[in-house]
Amino acid sequence: MRSISLLSSGLDSIAALAIAKKTSDVVLALTFDYGQRSVRREIDHSIIICEHYGIEHRIIRLDWLQDITNTSLVNEDVDVPELSVEDLSGDNGSITEDSAKSVWVPNRNGVFLNIAASFAESYDCDHVIAGFNGEEAKTFPDNSKEFVNATDGCFSYSTANGVKVLAPLIDMDKATIVHEAMDAKAPLEWSWSCYHGGDKPCGVCESCVRRARGFHEAGLKDPLMVRLGLDI
Protein backbone atom coordinates (compact mmCIF):
# COMPACT_ATOMS: atom_id res chain seq x y z
CA MET A 1 0.00 0.00 0.00
CA ARG A 2 1.29 3.44 -0.98
CA SER A 3 0.10 6.70 0.52
CA ILE A 4 0.37 10.47 0.49
CA SER A 5 0.11 12.41 3.75
CA LEU A 6 -1.61 15.69 4.57
CA LEU A 7 0.97 17.20 6.91
CA SER A 8 0.37 20.41 8.85
CA SER A 9 2.90 19.38 11.53
CA GLY A 10 0.07 19.33 14.08
CA LEU A 11 -0.27 16.58 16.68
CA ASP A 12 -2.96 14.81 14.68
CA SER A 13 -1.27 14.90 11.28
CA ILE A 14 2.05 13.64 12.69
CA ALA A 15 0.31 10.91 14.71
CA ALA A 16 -1.65 9.79 11.63
CA LEU A 17 1.54 9.74 9.56
CA ALA A 18 3.50 7.75 12.16
CA ILE A 19 0.71 5.20 12.60
CA ALA A 20 0.09 4.85 8.85
CA LYS A 21 3.78 4.23 8.19
CA LYS A 22 3.49 0.91 10.03
CA THR A 23 1.46 -0.53 7.16
CA SER A 24 1.92 1.87 4.26
CA ASP A 25 4.75 3.21 2.14
CA VAL A 26 4.33 6.98 2.50
CA VAL A 27 5.93 8.52 -0.56
CA LEU A 28 4.94 12.19 -0.28
CA ALA A 29 3.70 14.74 2.26
CA LEU A 30 1.83 17.91 1.34
CA THR A 31 1.78 21.06 3.47
CA PHE A 32 -0.63 23.81 2.50
CA ASP A 33 -0.01 27.54 2.71
CA TYR A 34 -3.32 29.38 2.74
CA GLY A 35 -2.12 32.37 4.74
CA GLN A 36 -2.80 30.84 8.15
CA ARG A 37 -1.21 32.54 11.15
CA SER A 38 1.04 29.57 11.90
CA VAL A 39 2.10 28.85 8.32
CA ARG A 40 5.82 29.46 8.83
CA ARG A 41 5.95 27.16 11.85
CA GLU A 42 3.92 24.51 10.03
CA ILE A 43 6.20 24.55 7.00
CA ASP A 44 9.46 24.58 8.98
CA HIS A 45 8.35 21.75 11.26
CA SER A 46 6.93 19.71 8.38
CA ILE A 47 10.26 19.93 6.56
CA ILE A 48 12.02 18.52 9.63
CA ILE A 49 9.44 15.76 10.00
CA CYS A 50 9.82 14.74 6.35
CA GLU A 51 13.60 14.71 6.70
CA HIS A 52 13.18 12.51 9.79
CA TYR A 53 11.14 9.97 7.82
CA GLY A 54 12.90 10.41 4.46
CA ILE A 55 9.68 11.49 2.73
CA GLU A 56 9.41 13.82 -0.26
CA HIS A 57 7.79 17.10 0.79
CA ARG A 58 5.85 19.66 -1.21
CA ILE A 59 4.40 23.01 -0.16
CA ILE A 60 1.16 23.91 -1.93
CA ARG A 61 0.27 27.60 -2.01
CA LEU A 62 -3.42 28.46 -2.02
CA ASP A 63 -3.44 32.25 -2.31
CA TRP A 64 -7.05 32.25 -3.47
CA LEU A 65 -8.15 30.45 -0.29
CA GLN A 66 -6.41 33.09 1.78
CA ASP A 67 -8.20 35.80 -0.21
CA ILE A 68 -11.67 34.42 0.51
CA THR A 69 -11.14 33.51 4.18
CA ASN A 70 -12.33 36.15 6.64
CA THR A 71 -12.14 34.21 9.90
CA SER A 72 -9.48 34.51 12.59
CA LEU A 73 -7.26 31.62 11.48
CA VAL A 74 -6.21 33.78 8.53
CA ASN A 75 -7.55 37.28 9.17
CA GLU A 76 -5.32 38.84 11.81
CA ASP A 77 -7.76 41.70 12.33
CA VAL A 78 -10.06 39.18 14.05
CA ASP A 79 -9.11 37.78 17.46
CA VAL A 80 -8.64 34.03 17.86
CA PRO A 81 -10.93 32.79 20.68
CA GLU A 82 -9.27 31.88 23.97
CA LEU A 83 -10.62 28.82 25.78
CA SER A 84 -10.10 26.94 29.02
CA VAL A 85 -10.25 23.21 29.69
CA GLU A 86 -13.69 23.74 31.26
CA ASP A 87 -14.89 25.25 27.98
CA LEU A 88 -14.22 21.93 26.25
CA SER A 89 -16.62 20.01 28.48
CA GLY A 90 -19.81 18.57 27.06
CA ASP A 91 -21.90 21.19 28.87
CA ASN A 92 -20.35 24.04 26.90
CA GLY A 93 -21.08 22.99 23.34
CA SER A 94 -21.96 26.51 22.25
CA ILE A 95 -18.48 27.74 23.21
CA THR A 96 -16.67 25.17 21.09
CA GLU A 97 -19.14 25.67 18.25
CA ASP A 98 -18.44 29.41 18.28
CA SER A 99 -14.69 28.72 18.41
CA ALA A 100 -14.94 26.39 15.42
CA LYS A 101 -16.84 29.01 13.43
CA SER A 102 -14.19 31.60 14.28
CA VAL A 103 -11.37 29.53 12.76
CA TRP A 104 -13.31 27.93 9.90
CA VAL A 105 -11.71 28.08 6.44
CA PRO A 106 -14.16 27.57 3.54
CA ASN A 107 -14.11 23.91 2.47
CA ARG A 108 -10.50 23.63 3.61
CA ASN A 109 -10.33 19.88 4.17
CA GLY A 110 -12.34 19.25 1.02
CA VAL A 111 -9.83 21.28 -0.99
CA PHE A 112 -6.85 19.60 0.68
CA LEU A 113 -8.16 16.09 0.06
CA ASN A 114 -9.00 16.71 -3.58
CA ILE A 115 -5.57 18.16 -4.30
CA ALA A 116 -3.92 15.26 -2.44
CA ALA A 117 -6.04 12.76 -4.38
CA SER A 118 -4.68 14.18 -7.62
CA PHE A 119 -1.15 13.59 -6.37
CA ALA A 120 -2.11 10.13 -5.12
CA GLU A 121 -3.48 9.10 -8.50
CA SER A 122 -0.41 10.50 -10.28
CA TYR A 123 1.97 8.78 -7.83
CA ASP A 124 0.02 5.50 -8.05
CA CYS A 125 -0.93 5.70 -4.39
CA ASP A 126 -3.92 4.04 -2.76
CA HIS A 127 -4.57 6.41 0.12
CA VAL A 128 -4.41 9.98 1.40
CA ILE A 129 -3.52 10.06 5.11
CA ALA A 130 -5.42 12.59 7.22
CA GLY A 131 -5.41 13.36 10.94
CA PHE A 132 -9.19 13.48 11.27
CA ASN A 133 -10.18 12.38 14.77
CA GLY A 134 -13.18 11.56 16.89
CA GLU A 135 -12.71 14.39 19.39
CA GLU A 136 -12.71 17.23 16.88
CA ALA A 137 -15.45 15.63 14.75
CA LYS A 138 -17.90 16.75 17.43
CA THR A 139 -17.46 20.39 16.37
CA PHE A 140 -15.71 20.11 12.99
CA PRO A 141 -17.88 18.02 10.62
CA ASP A 142 -15.01 17.70 8.15
CA ASN A 143 -13.24 15.49 10.71
CA SER A 144 -16.04 12.92 10.85
CA LYS A 145 -16.47 9.37 9.58
CA GLU A 146 -19.37 10.59 7.47
CA PHE A 147 -17.10 13.08 5.72
CA VAL A 148 -14.46 10.40 5.09
CA ASN A 149 -17.04 7.99 3.69
CA ALA A 150 -18.58 10.67 1.47
CA THR A 151 -15.14 11.67 0.18
CA ASP A 152 -14.27 8.05 -0.60
CA GLY A 153 -17.49 7.85 -2.60
CA CYS A 154 -16.55 10.93 -4.61
CA PHE A 155 -13.02 9.65 -5.22
CA SER A 156 -14.43 6.41 -6.62
CA TYR A 157 -15.66 8.57 -9.50
CA SER A 158 -12.98 11.27 -9.68
CA THR A 159 -9.82 9.15 -9.48
CA ALA A 160 -9.01 6.37 -11.91
CA ASN A 161 -7.52 4.17 -9.19
CA GLY A 162 -10.18 4.79 -6.52
CA VAL A 163 -8.09 6.69 -3.98
CA LYS A 164 -9.38 6.45 -0.39
CA VAL A 165 -8.89 8.49 2.76
CA LEU A 166 -6.85 6.77 5.48
CA ALA A 167 -7.82 8.26 8.85
CA PRO A 168 -6.26 6.10 11.60
CA LEU A 169 -7.36 8.50 14.37
CA ILE A 170 -11.01 8.64 13.37
CA ASP A 171 -12.28 7.03 16.61
CA MET A 172 -9.72 8.57 18.98
CA ASP A 173 -9.73 11.39 21.50
CA LYS A 174 -6.59 13.46 22.11
CA ALA A 175 -5.32 11.36 25.03
CA THR A 176 -5.52 8.21 22.91
CA ILE A 177 -3.84 10.01 20.02
CA VAL A 178 -0.99 11.03 22.33
CA HIS A 179 -0.49 7.43 23.49
CA GLU A 180 -0.62 6.03 19.95
CA ALA A 181 1.76 8.70 18.63
CA MET A 182 4.28 8.07 21.39
CA ASP A 183 4.04 4.31 20.84
CA ALA A 184 4.72 4.91 17.13
CA LYS A 185 7.74 7.06 18.06
CA ALA A 186 6.32 10.07 16.23
CA PRO A 187 8.65 13.11 16.41
CA LEU A 188 6.21 15.15 18.48
CA GLU A 189 8.96 17.51 19.56
CA TRP A 190 8.52 19.04 16.10
CA SER A 191 4.73 19.12 16.13
CA TRP A 192 2.96 22.49 16.14
CA SER A 193 -0.72 22.67 17.05
CA CYS A 194 -1.11 26.33 17.99
CA TYR A 195 -3.24 28.57 15.77
CA HIS A 196 -0.55 31.24 16.20
CA GLY A 197 3.02 31.16 14.90
CA GLY A 198 5.01 32.66 17.77
CA ASP A 199 8.16 31.42 19.45
CA LYS A 200 6.05 29.24 21.74
CA PRO A 201 2.46 27.96 21.68
CA CYS A 202 -0.05 30.47 23.04
CA GLY A 203 -1.59 27.90 25.37
CA VAL A 204 -5.10 29.39 25.17
CA CYS A 205 -6.42 28.78 21.65
CA GLU A 206 -8.69 25.76 21.27
CA SER A 207 -6.02 23.68 19.57
CA CYS A 208 -3.48 24.36 22.35
CA VAL A 209 -6.00 23.60 25.09
CA ARG A 210 -7.08 20.32 23.48
CA ARG A 211 -3.45 19.29 23.06
CA ALA A 212 -2.52 20.15 26.66
CA ARG A 213 -5.56 18.30 27.98
CA GLY A 214 -4.65 15.28 25.86
CA PHE A 215 -1.13 15.04 27.28
CA HIS A 216 -2.43 15.64 30.82
CA GLU A 217 -5.04 12.87 30.51
CA ALA A 218 -2.43 10.58 28.95
CA GLY A 219 -0.12 11.24 31.91
CA LEU A 220 2.75 12.23 29.63
CA LYS A 221 4.88 15.30 29.04
CA ASP A 222 4.55 17.10 25.73
CA PRO A 223 7.85 16.62 23.83
CA LEU A 224 7.44 20.00 22.11
CA MET A 225 7.14 21.80 25.43
CA VAL A 226 10.12 19.88 26.78
CA ARG A 227 12.21 20.84 23.73
CA LEU A 228 11.24 24.49 24.22
CA GLY A 229 12.19 24.32 27.89
CA LEU A 230 8.61 24.96 29.01
CA ASP A 231 7.94 21.60 30.69
CA ILE A 232 11.03 20.07 32.23
Side-chain angles (χ1 to χ4, degrees), residues 42 105 109 180-181 185 188 204 213 221 223:
E42 292 183 23
V105 177
N109 285 350
E180 292 294 325
K185 295 182 171 52
L188 296 183
V204 292
R213 184 179 69 169
K221 288 188 174 184

mmCIF file of all heavy atoms in Angstrom, residues 42 105 109 180-181 185 188 204 213 221 223:
data_model
loop_
_atom_site.group_PDB
_atom_site.id
_atom_site.type_symbol
_atom_site.label_atom_id
_atom_site.label_comp_id
_atom_site.label_asym_id
_atom_site.label_seq_id
_atom_site.Cartn_x
_atom_site.Cartn_y
_atom_site.Cartn_z
ATOM 1 N N GLU A 42 4.388 25.761 10.623
ATOM 2 C CA GLU A 42 3.923 24.509 10.032
ATOM 3 C C GLU A 42 4.872 24.027 8.943
ATOM 4 O O GLU A 42 5.217 22.835 8.874
ATOM 5 C CB GLU A 42 2.510 24.682 9.469
ATOM 6 C CG GLU A 42 1.451 24.899 10.534
ATOM 7 C CD GLU A 42 0.049 24.997 9.953
ATOM 8 O OE1 GLU A 42 -0.168 24.470 8.838
ATOM 9 O OE2 GLU A 42 -0.830 25.579 10.606
ATOM 10 N N VAL A 105 -12.219 27.680 7.754
ATOM 11 C CA VAL A 105 -11.713 28.082 6.443
ATOM 12 C C VAL A 105 -12.585 27.391 5.396
ATOM 13 O O VAL A 105 -12.756 26.173 5.457
ATOM 14 C CB VAL A 105 -10.234 27.675 6.263
ATOM 15 C CG1 VAL A 105 -9.746 28.034 4.858
ATOM 16 C CG2 VAL A 105 -9.365 28.346 7.323
ATOM 17 N N ASN A 109 -10.706 21.286 4.258
ATOM 18 C CA ASN A 109 -10.333 19.879 4.171
ATOM 19 C C ASN A 109 -10.787 19.248 2.865
ATOM 20 O O ASN A 109 -10.138 18.343 2.339
ATOM 21 C CB ASN A 109 -10.888 19.106 5.370
ATOM 22 C CG ASN A 109 -10.101 19.388 6.641
ATOM 23 O OD1 ASN A 109 -9.043 19.996 6.600
ATOM 24 N ND2 ASN A 109 -10.636 18.954 7.771
ATOM 25 N N GLU A 180 -0.922 6.731 21.197
ATOM 26 C CA GLU A 180 -0.619 6.030 19.947
ATOM 27 C C GLU A 180 0.572 6.669 19.236
ATOM 28 O O GLU A 180 1.413 5.970 18.655
ATOM 29 C CB GLU A 180 -1.845 6.030 19.036
ATOM 30 C CG GLU A 180 -3.009 5.193 19.554
ATOM 31 C CD GLU A 180 -2.689 3.717 19.592
ATOM 32 O OE1 GLU A 180 -1.963 3.239 18.704
ATOM 33 O OE2 GLU A 180 -3.161 3.034 20.521
ATOM 34 N N ALA A 181 0.644 7.997 19.274
ATOM 35 C CA ALA A 181 1.759 8.699 18.630
ATOM 36 C C ALA A 181 3.075 8.387 19.325
ATOM 37 O O ALA A 181 4.107 8.156 18.664
ATOM 38 C CB ALA A 181 1.496 10.199 18.633
ATOM 39 N N LYS A 185 6.500 6.269 18.069
ATOM 40 C CA LYS A 185 7.738 7.061 18.062
ATOM 41 C C LYS A 185 7.659 8.245 17.092
ATOM 42 O O LYS A 185 8.626 8.586 16.403
ATOM 43 C CB LYS A 185 8.943 6.186 17.744
ATOM 44 C CG LYS A 185 9.224 5.128 18.817
ATOM 45 C CD LYS A 185 10.447 4.294 18.497
ATOM 46 C CE LYS A 185 10.837 3.402 19.675
ATOM 47 N NZ LYS A 185 9.747 2.587 20.211
ATOM 48 N N LEU A 188 7.133 14.117 18.001
ATOM 49 C CA LEU A 188 6.209 15.149 18.484
ATOM 50 C C LEU A 188 6.914 16.399 18.987
ATOM 51 O O LEU A 188 6.275 17.435 19.186
ATOM 52 C CB LEU A 188 5.313 14.574 19.588
ATOM 53 C CG LEU A 188 4.367 13.443 19.169
ATOM 54 C CD1 LEU A 188 3.497 13.028 20.354
ATOM 55 C CD2 LEU A 188 3.500 13.859 17.992
ATOM 56 N N VAL A 204 -3.701 29.048 24.881
ATOM 57 C CA VAL A 204 -5.097 29.387 25.173
ATOM 58 C C VAL A 204 -6.031 29.261 23.972
ATOM 59 O O VAL A 204 -7.252 29.387 24.129
ATOM 60 C CB VAL A 204 -5.216 30.805 25.778
ATOM 61 C CG1 VAL A 204 -4.592 30.851 27.162
ATOM 62 C CG2 VAL A 204 -4.594 31.849 24.851
ATOM 63 N N ARG A 213 -4.686 19.222 27.257
ATOM 64 C CA ARG A 213 -5.557 18.295 27.980
ATOM 65 C C ARG A 213 -5.250 16.852 27.589
ATOM 66 O O ARG A 213 -5.245 15.953 28.442
ATOM 67 C CB ARG A 213 -7.024 18.610 27.703
ATOM 68 C CG ARG A 213 -7.982 17.741 28.508
ATOM 69 C CD ARG A 213 -9.434 18.081 28.245
ATOM 70 N NE ARG A 213 -9.874 17.725 26.898
ATOM 71 C CZ ARG A 213 -11.149 17.731 26.508
ATOM 72 N NH1 ARG A 213 -12.096 18.102 27.357
ATOM 73 N NH2 ARG A 213 -11.476 17.397 25.266
ATOM 74 N N LYS A 221 4.411 13.955 29.354
ATOM 75 C CA LYS A 221 4.878 15.296 29.042
ATOM 76 C C LYS A 221 4.857 15.518 27.534
ATOM 77 O O LYS A 221 5.104 14.595 26.759
ATOM 78 C CB LYS A 221 6.295 15.514 29.579
ATOM 79 C CG LYS A 221 6.372 15.645 31.098
ATOM 80 C CD LYS A 221 7.762 16.060 31.535
ATOM 81 C CE LYS A 221 7.799 16.322 33.039
ATOM 82 N NZ LYS A 221 9.139 16.815 33.475
ATOM 83 N N PRO A 223 6.459 16.481 24.298
ATOM 84 C CA PRO A 223 7.845 16.616 23.828
ATOM 85 C C PRO A 223 8.172 17.988 23.242
ATOM 86 O O PRO A 223 9.316 18.446 23.342
ATOM 87 C CB PRO A 223 7.962 15.520 22.767
ATOM 88 C CG PRO A 223 6.940 14.506 23.161
ATOM 89 C CD PRO A 223 5.799 15.305 23.703
#
